Amino acid sequence: MASGRDKKQDRGSVGLRAADFLIRTADSFLDLCIISFFLGLFVFATYTIWDNQQIYGNADATVYESYKPEAEADDSPTFAELQEINPDVLGWMTIYGTGIDYPLVQGRTNDDYINTTVDKKFALSGSIFLESQNARDFSDFNTIIYGHHMEQSEMFGDLDKFRDQAFFDTHKYGNLYYGGKNRGLLIFCVMDADAYDSTLYNYSLSTPEDEAAYLNYISGISSYIRNADGVSGASNVSESGVNPGDHILMLSTCATDATNGRYVVFAKVMEETYANPFPKEEKPVVKRLVQGINLPFMDTLPSWWLYGVFLFVALVLFLLIYGIIRTVQARRAGKREKSDLPEDGDSR
């Protein structure tokens, strides 16, 4: 028959085992939470990188490069085929020395192509599109063209570069294709503007007097105006050879330093065309993921290489954290086992 002391020891042993079970369960649950957190973080980071690549991939000018009129070859799609895919396509605009080299579209409203690509797919990058109220054949005095301001020179991401005087002075020309013909573009002024400036965002100028007043207005708010020598320094756009009766383009994109701010660049449509003075360079795709790192070898690497390295490093960190957790668990278990061993002379 068990003595009272033995019964107390049994009850104490049961209590210790129950406490140990609760501690082990709580410990395992905590480890599971930590592992789940880092695994979720890893999955979220992977998705974010993939999503970022998709956004910039949709915005890349090379996506539609094969449709560019002057680049058409016997075995490549034609600009006419792009128009068959989307009848809203009406032309192509290139600004030399920038990443602006895109087909132009025009929707029934200005919302149609904010988040829709030229081939009518959803994408946050949207398209480069004309003001819906402008004439499709660029016959208006002022045709407004919109595009998102994006990093890596995508869409209208390079418009803000014209705010730098040296860049403005050296980047003068572009090309506009519509109606089966190329026209030259002469960039003549740049400014910071407000999205709610109704005088600036006016596409319905119909008289020479209205057009002259408009030119005087943009002259007064321009940061730089090109003079007769082709560099900044003029006080009125007339010194750039822009006059009532001409056809001008107003390129507009969101500013990064003001809620309602806009970067605006104006160009005159010319009958003569201009050669591209800038050699074509391949865009460094790797830098999309790692901003600010400018190692010489990165420009030669495909984008998948850096994404693979990132995922590998993330996986190694995850395994390292998991290993640390398991090591801590093992040490805790070892300490508990030692505490359960009977001491010398213990008749337990």
Side-chain angles (χ1 to χ4, degrees), residues 2 10 16 23 30 47 59 85 95 109 129 142 155 176 187 211 246 269 274 280 283 302 328 337 340 344:
D10 290 341
L16 287 173
I23 292 173
L30 180 62
Y47 171 77
I85 295 172
I95 304 298
T109 73
F129 62 95
N142 182 30
M155 307 308 285
L176 178 66
I187 297 165
E211 295 170 2
D246 291 332
V269 181
Y274 305 101
K280 184 175 181 179
K283 290 184 180 180
V328 172
E337 289 175 359
D340 290 341
D344 293 341

Side-chain angles (χ1 to χ4, degrees), residues 66-81:
S66 59
Y67 293 101
K68 190 174 181 178
E70 64 185 31
E72 290 175 2
D74 292 339
D75 58 347
S76 67
T78 65
F79 182 76
E81 288 176 323

Side-chain angles (χ1 to χ4, degrees), residues 34 40 50 69 121 130 168 170 224 267 278 285 329:
I34 294 174
W50 174 85
K121 297 177 181 178
L130 269 66
F168 178 83
T170 56
Y224 302 114
F278 301 97
V285 293
Q329 278 184 323

Side-chain angles (χ1 to χ4, degrees), residues 270-287:
M270 310 288 288
E271 285 302 316
E272 63 175 312
T273 58
Y274 305 101
N276 187 351
F278 301 97
K280 184 175 181 179
E281 298 179 356
E282 294 295 329
K283 290 184 180 180
V285 293
V286 171
K287 292 180 183 177

Side-chain angles (χ1 to χ4, degrees), residues 219 223-228 231-240:
S219 297
S223 302
Y224 302 114
I225 301 174
R226 203 173 301 282
N227 60 27
V231 295
S232 57
S235 59
N236 193 284
V237 297
S238 61
E239 299 178 54
S240 301

Side-chain angles (χ1 to χ4, degrees), residues 175-194:
N175 189 81
L176 178 66
Y177 175 88
Y178 70 92
K181 180 181 177 182
N182 286 305
R183 278 89 170 173
L185 293 177
L186 172 65
I187 297 165
F188 61 89
C189 72
V190 60
M191 66 194 65
D192 290 353
D194 188 285

